[in-house]
Amino acid sequence: MTAPSAPAWTPSSWRALAARHQPEWPDEAHVEAVREQLAALPPLVFAGEARGLTASLAEVGAGRAFLLQAGDCAESFRDFSAPAIRERLKIFLQMAAVLTWGATLPVVKVGRIAGQFGKPRSSPREQVGDLDLPSFLGHIVNDDAPTADARTPDPERMLRVYHQSAATLNLLRAFTKGGFADLNEVHGWNQAFVTESAEGRRYERIASEIERALRFMAACGIDIAGRPELHEVDLWTSHEGLVLDYEEGLTRRDSLTGDWYDCSAHMLWIGERTRQPDGAHVEFFSGVHNPIGCKLGPGASPEDVLELCERLNPGRIPGRLTLITRMGADRVAELLPPLLRAVRDSDHPVVWVCDPMHANTITTSTGRKTRRFDDILAEIEGFFSVHRAEGTWPGGVHLEFTGDDVTECTGGSEGVLEEQLDGRYMTLCDPRLNARQSLDLAFRVAELMRG
Ligand code: PEP
Ligand code: CO
């Protein structure tokens, strides 16, 4: 007897499977109406761009480039303005410049931006003071205000996410292609409050060296003005593909190839809580042709990882699959090697990336969620040393940061103390590196890459 073959993939075939962490929308007909509206709207990205990112990630997989994937933990409907987007872009460009200069390797730049609105939560309910409320699930689902009304899921929010993502992406495209990301502007990305710090001064020195290198090339007769790669950057978008009603609504068939693409972002990743090989998220993302990421936490076994490779990249296309490991500073040396060996021996082409944030979250005695800079750095160091020992390529880092001067993670060269966390603790969800801590970390990662 032959096993019954699996039903064919369609943008809605995930609906037959268990989908974890989906909102309990109060009215199914309303969700369906919103999904139809999303399906009729223009795509946010197009298939050719997603293929371009796959090709760049294939370079990372081959050890010829490095991935910087970074941005907010959760984007917000409130913190949405040109300055907020610009300040985030500045620090991103600074980190990329530090890494490119320090390691003399191309850096593939992927933002957690223009779509990062859904949050899986460990508990469906949350205690706020005396109130027992449904958890905040990201602005794509409900509002963070602590009232039962605010916490009720509203599908109209998916349309607002679409429009905010479109406006964000438009400004990012304008900044990155219209002169702001020009290497001649490398000094201008340093923000006032960063310039005064040790890492800000260190950055100024690199910026001056880059300027000097440009002048040197010009003196050698290279036509600097005529080289677009010196004046523009490719900044790709990504988010966790969590709320499948939204992702399905933005999935389109490419007219050129006939393949399906999730046109909500260039790259989507599957979270640690939704990566079951027989679950809805893996089913959905197995059928779209974007580059896909998958988080791997401490519970991931070599068998799980190989099954995910087979499900998500049966054609073994280089650049298609990025595995984002988040094991914790104290466990990475023990948990990562078996996964690296299993994937290496199976000859699956993957990009390995370190998320040093999500397994290093602690709660202070006053109930604040935080992360220590030294733990974040220690997980990245462990990631590099394990890859070096196994002969695999430590392909990149996945970070949560903000361009603002917040106090959410402790430590770093400016030494944010636990008692200072209340000062400017602004995040909607997880604690993020502030601009100075981010730059500091970029210098450390560049050193590791050179080492
Ligand atoms: C995240 O990246 O914000 C997240 C929730 O991560 P993870 O799925 O790894 O817990
Ligand atoms: Co997070």
Side-chain angles (χ1 to χ4, degrees):
M1 253 177 55
T2 51
S5 57
W9 186 93
T10 69
S12 58
S13 54
W14 64 270
R15 292 180 184 276
L17 302 169
R20 298 206 190 165
H21 293 275
Q22 298 309 287
E24 289 179 18
W25 304 115
D27 175 359
E28 262 314 309
H30 192 177
V31 182
E32 181 57 22
V34 166
R35 211 184 47 67
E36 277 171 20
Q37 289 182 64
L38 288 171
L41 287 164
L44 294 174
V45 304
F46 81 97
E49 294 182 289
R51 284 192 287 274
L53 177 55
T54 303
S56 294
L57 290 170
E59 286 297 295
V60 178
R64 292 189 290 264
F66 193 74
L67 171 66
L68 175 62
Q69 184 173 24
D72 229 313
C73 176
E75 285 174 89
S76 161
F77 285 173
R78 284 191 302 276
D79 178 25
F80 173 45
S81 66
I85 296 167
R86 189 190 56 220
E87 296 314 288
R88 256 174 238 148
L89 178 62
K90 274 187 186 169
I91 180 71
F92 198 106
L93 291 172
Q94 284 188 289
M95 284 194 277
V98 166
L99 292 171
T100 312
W101 182 260
T104 50
L105 268 186
V107 172
V108 179
K109 303 165 195 71
V110 179
R112 283 176 64 113
I113 196 163
Q116 176 51 28
F117 290 90
K119 296 313 299 174
R121 303 304 296 271
S122 22
S123 163
R125 313 238 1 133
E126 141 179 63
Q127 193 74 28
V128 185
D130 301 336
L131 296 170
D132 173 57
L133 293 167
S135 292
F136 169 56
L137 301 174
H139 280 167
I140 192 170
V141 176
N142 57 8
D143 190 69
D144 49 300
T147 68
D149 198 35
R151 296 291 171 90
T152 305
D154 176 4
E156 292 292 323
R157 290 177 163 269
M158 291 193 280
L159 290 166
R160 192 156 165 202
V161 161
Y162 169 86
H163 290 292
Q164 181 163 328
S165 299
T168 302
L169 188 51
N170 178 57
L171 194 61
L172 288 174
R173 290 190 196 275
F175 278 143
T176 53
K177 304 292 177 189
F180 186 82
D182 191 317
L183 266 187
N184 290 303
E185 301 297 320
V186 66
H187 276 292
W189 305 333
N190 221 355
Q191 301 180 65
F193 74 91
V194 179
T195 319
E196 304 304 315
S197 64
E199 52 279 4
R201 287 193 295 274
R202 198 170 169 192
Y203 176 79
E204 285 295 322
R205 287 197 291 278
I206 287 189
S208 299
E209 287 180 55
I210 292 173
E211 276 185 344
R212 198 171 156 76
L214 289 174
R215 287 203 299 275
F216 173 76
M217 287 192 285
C220 293
I222 294 170
D223 173 20
I224 301 287
R227 304 300 301 249
E229 60 273 47
L230 298 174
H231 310 294
E232 298 179 358
V233 302
D234 288 325
L235 177 68
W236 311 96
T237 60
S238 74
H239 61 263
E240 178 175 350
L242 181 68
V243 178
L244 292 176
D245 287 311
Y246 180 75
E247 304 304 337
E248 181 187 336
L250 283 170
T251 295
R252 308 279 185 270
R253 199 192 267 275
D254 172 32
S255 56
L256 209 62
T257 59
D259 289 334
W260 291 96
Y261 284 83
D262 181 347
C263 298
S264 70
H266 299 111
M267 178 182 186
L268 288 306
W269 78 86
I270 301 170
E272 163 69 1
R273 294 165 188 77
T274 50
R275 62 170 166 77
Q276 302 73 34
D278 56 353
H281 290 79
V282 170
E283 167 65 14
F284 179 77
F285 287 108
S286 72
V288 296
H289 285 68
N290 309 59
I292 298 300
C294 186
K295 293 286 195 88
L296 298 173
S301 68
E303 297 71 36
D304 294 339
V305 177
L306 292 181
E307 199 176 348
L308 284 165
C309 290
E310 278 304 320
R311 280 288 276 132
L312 293 168
N313 194 15
R316 301 186 179 219
I317 298 162
R320 153 74 175 172
L321 183 60
T322 297
L323 297 176
I324 308 162
T325 60
R326 26 94 82 222
M327 299 298 174
D330 47 0
R331 300 199 65 193
V332 58
E334 157 213 352
L335 296 172
L336 190 54
L339 307 188
L340 300 188
R341 283 177 211 139
V343 174
R344 185 189 57 204
D345 295 348
S346 75
D347 277 333
H348 263 285
V350 307
V351 174
W352 288 106
V353 170
C354 175
D355 165 0
M357 315 296 294
H358 287 90
N360 293 310
T361 315
I362 52 172
T363 306
T364 67
S365 52
T366 58
R368 280 274 184 224
K369 267 209 286 185
T370 189
R371 292 160 173 159
R372 294 192 198 103
F373 184 88
D374 287 349
D375 292 342
I376 293 169
L377 183 60
E379 179 155 358
I380 300 176
E381 284 169 350
F383 172 83
F384 269 83
S385 78
V386 167
H387 276 281
R388 295 250 149 86
E390 298 299 329
T392 44
W393 177 245
V397 288
H398 180 118
L399 307 172
E400 288 182 345
F401 82 95
T402 165
D404 300 327
D405 190 14
V406 300
T407 52
E408 297 171 9
C409 292
T410 59
S413 62
E414 66 183 308
V416 175
L417 304 172
E418 220 175 275
E419 14 338 336
Q420 294 171 328
L421 289 177
D422 283 340
R424 288 179 305 283
Y425 194 95
M426 322 277 276
T427 186
L428 268 183
C429 192
D430 289 338
R432 304 158 299 174
L433 295 163
N434 65 28
R436 287 174 53 182
Q437 290 167 327
S438 304
L439 199 52
D440 194 357
L441 196 70
F443 280 112
R444 314 281 188 116
V445 174
E447 279 161 20
L448 285 169
M449 288 167 73
R450 272 201 302 273

